[in-house]
Amino acid sequence: MSSGSQVEELVFPNCENASEKYEKLAKIGQGTFGEVFKARNRETKALVAMKKVLMENEKEGFPITAIREIKILQLLRHENVVQLIEICRTRAGPYNRFKSTFFLIFEFCEHDLAGLLSNANVKFTLGEIKKVMQQLLNGLYFIHSNKILHRDMKAANILITKNGVLKLADFGLARALVSKGSNPKYTNRVVTLWYRPPELLLGERMYGPSIDVWGAGCIMAEMWTRSPIMQGNTEQHQLQLISQLCGSISPDVWPGVHKMELYDKLELPKGQKRKVKERLKPYVRDQYALDLLDKLLCLDPSKRMDCDSALNHDLFWTDPMPTDLTPMLSRHTTSMFEYLAPPRRRGPIHPQAPAHKPAHNPDQHFERVF
Ligand code: ADP
Ligand code: MG
């Protein structure tokens, strides 16, 4: 919660009447934190995305989480980061019990990556996948250079414009990195389970940019597999799936891991070989791509490749070179968003749904997910 003056400071070219300025066209997203609409500026006709600030749980004032998201978005200006245009509110009156709603207004992007991957008609060539990953790593490199962690990397939070420009979006869980000396303790309950790196699952609270790199690795593999590669049902199950792909988690490959809070408390599979390349080869084929995937999906966060080195990887500097996505996207005239797409995955896990329970043979489960 925050005082009114703090909000006013934030609410720069403030727009006081959202519905007078913008015409809502369609609902395109329903996240944990509210609805997102496609809308049009009535005067300029520019398309925007309006993200509603959820105030329901707030007794008074503006939610601190939204303030954090706005502050971070205001700091970050880059071609590969979604641009916040302004904050807009609805006029308060008797029809809304004198409570106005706030919207974050963004530049509109035609697709999100989850929507694109869920459509079998959308086919990416190797050069196009390179272009997606190069832009994704470029955006991440920029935010990490500005000491911001995204903390919610996943395909639905990656937007792509019709001109083939990728934008990192959803800074709802993002936060600023503080200097190591001050012994920062961040929450480890971040990042959607399927994209959560092993250090977070083991209880690490002094993590860094490498948590986003793990997510980038999961997304990269998904460019070929078309659905998330490790769909765990619980934190324990997620660690099992990680061990089956990346090998057993042990001090041999990750010095010091045995000192982590949950290392002894969770059951970690023993004797698993690392099979990243072997398991992804049938989908990926390209040797450079397999090599980069192997380096992004490194168990030990201190040895995981950073964005700068990843951008210098041979993958991006050998034929086929990263290819403009525009011609491919121009063949698809409808917007593709996760919210509008048929379920691409076995879905968020519901205790009631037996199909989502862990399989008896975890290996068999793993194969099905791919
Ligand atoms: P949440 O925190 O609710 O997940 P997001 O910012 O991720 O909020 O928005 C939810 C969805 O809305 C995204 O997955 C995407 O499909 C869509 N969306 C968000 N911002 C934009 C935008 N600028 N242009 C187009 N679609 C967007
Ligand atoms: Mg989101």
Side-chain angles (χ1 to χ4, degrees):
M1 234 94 74
S2 154
S3 71
S5 64
Q6 238 179 312
V7 177
E8 269 143 43
E9 233 175 81
L10 283 164
V11 181
F12 49 112
N14 194 5
C15 123
E16 298 286 346
N17 191 340
S19 44
E20 192 179 276
K21 186 159 181 182
Y22 297 102
E23 176 195 2
K24 275 186 197 166
L25 300 175
K27 182 168 163 176
I28 52 174
Q30 170 75 67
T32 355
F33 304 106
E35 298 166 298
V36 180
F37 299 91
K38 176 180 180 176
R40 183 165 39 218
N41 182 318
R42 293 183 196 271
E43 196 182 312
T44 66
K45 308 290 177 215
L47 292 174
V48 296
M50 296 175 76
K51 181 171 173 178
K52 197 169 173 174
V53 176
L54 208 66
M55 306 271 263
E56 254 135 57
N57 303 322
E58 307 292 328
K59 288 203 186 68
E60 53 176 297
F62 199 74
I64 186 74
T65 47
I67 293 188
R68 199 187 256 174
E69 181 172 8
I70 294 165
K71 286 216 157 197
I72 288 174
L73 284 161
Q74 286 177 334
L75 174 80
L76 300 172
R77 255 177 195 258
H78 187 271
E79 168 152 67
N80 300 123
V81 174
V82 71
Q83 195 179 326
L84 178 67
I85 300 170
E86 63 178 346
I87 318 291
C88 215
R89 65 171 153 201
T90 55
R91 216 193 275 279
Y95 45 88
N96 52 20
R97 285 180 287 144
F98 295 96
K99 270 194 157 180
S100 63
T101 309
F102 286 83
F103 289 96
L104 274 57
I105 312 290
F106 293 96
E107 59 176 329
F108 179 72
C109 304
E110 280 70 17
H111 314 285
D112 72 36
L113 190 56
L116 288 170
L117 291 174
S118 71
N119 185 336
N121 296 321
V122 177
K123 297 192 171 71
F124 291 92
T125 64
L126 178 57
E128 287 162 354
I129 293 180
K130 289 186 187 185
K131 188 73 177 182
V132 167
M133 286 312 298
Q134 190 177 46
Q135 296 186 82
L136 190 156
L137 290 164
N138 217 9
L140 267 189
Y141 173 76
F142 172 77
I143 71 164
H144 291 163
S145 309
N146 280 281
K147 303 209 171 355
I148 299 293
L149 301 181
H150 185 279
R151 306 201 304 179
D152 199 12
M153 292 296 286
K154 59 174 174 182
N157 290 338
I158 309 292
L159 307 176
I160 301 195
T161 69
K162 66 174 188 303
N163 299 322
V165 182
L166 176 147
K167 315 262 178 188
L168 300 181
D170 196 355
F171 286 76
L173 282 176
R175 67 158 294 162
L177 264 172
V178 292
S179 65
K180 272 252 162 77
S182 58
N183 210 6
K185 284 212 163 62
Y186 313 119
T187 169
N188 55 31
R189 301 208 52 88
V190 288
V191 187
T192 308
L193 187 58
W194 298 342
Y195 299 82
R196 206 177 294 166
E199 65 271 26
L200 287 187
L201 293 163
L202 289 170
E204 180 62 273
R205 297 187 62 186
M206 279 174 36
Y207 50 81
S210 48
I211 65 153
D212 292 333
V213 172
W214 179 271
C218 297
I219 294 170
M220 180 171 169
E222 210 170 314
M223 293 299 300
W224 285 276
T225 62
R226 307 290 292 218
S227 59
I229 58 167
M230 292 178 280
Q231 303 187 17
N233 298 339
T234 59
E235 300 187 3
Q236 164 89 52
H237 183 218
Q238 191 66 29
L239 277 166
Q240 253 174 35
L241 296 176
I242 291 175
S243 305
Q244 283 157 8
L245 181 68
C246 304
S248 291
I249 297 171
S250 77
D252 299 341
V253 293
W254 181 351
V257 67
H258 56 289
K259 291 187 221 136
M260 296 187 70
E261 202 184 316
L262 302 176
Y263 184 79
D264 292 321
K265 300 201 178 93
L266 291 168
E267 243 177 80
L268 298 173
K270 303 261 178 333
Q272 295 284 337
K273 265 188 21 209
R274 187 170 173 85
K275 307 182 197 92
V276 175
K277 289 188 179 175
E278 186 189 318
R279 286 229 155 150
L280 290 171
K281 203 186 254 162
Y283 302 88
V284 180
R285 294 196 193 95
D286 183 78
Q287 284 307 319
Y288 290 120
L290 286 167
D291 187 72
L292 179 57
L293 276 163
D294 198 36
K295 291 179 164 130
L296 299 176
L297 294 174
C298 174
L299 289 171
D300 180 348
S302 71
K303 291 191 233 138
R304 200 171 297 150
M305 194 173 241
D306 64 14
C307 295
D308 188 28
S309 319
L311 285 164
N312 283 315
H313 191 277
D314 286 343
L315 176 70
F316 300 114
W317 305 99
T318 48
D319 280 333
M321 288 294 282
T323 319
D324 181 11
L325 300 164
T326 323
M328 182 274 275
L329 292 172
S330 69
R331 292 197 287 275
H332 303 279
T333 46
T334 52
S335 263
M336 284 167 258
F337 294 109
E338 181 179 59
Y339 175 70
L340 303 172
R344 162 177 78 110
R345 17 193 116 189
R346 296 173 315 106
I349 286 70
H350 255 272
Q352 301 93 314
H356 296 145
K357 289 228 177 93
H360 286 305
N361 173 355
D363 247 7
Q364 179 197 342
H365 173 73
F366 184 89
E367 290 298 342
R368 263 201 292 131
V369 173
F370 264 51

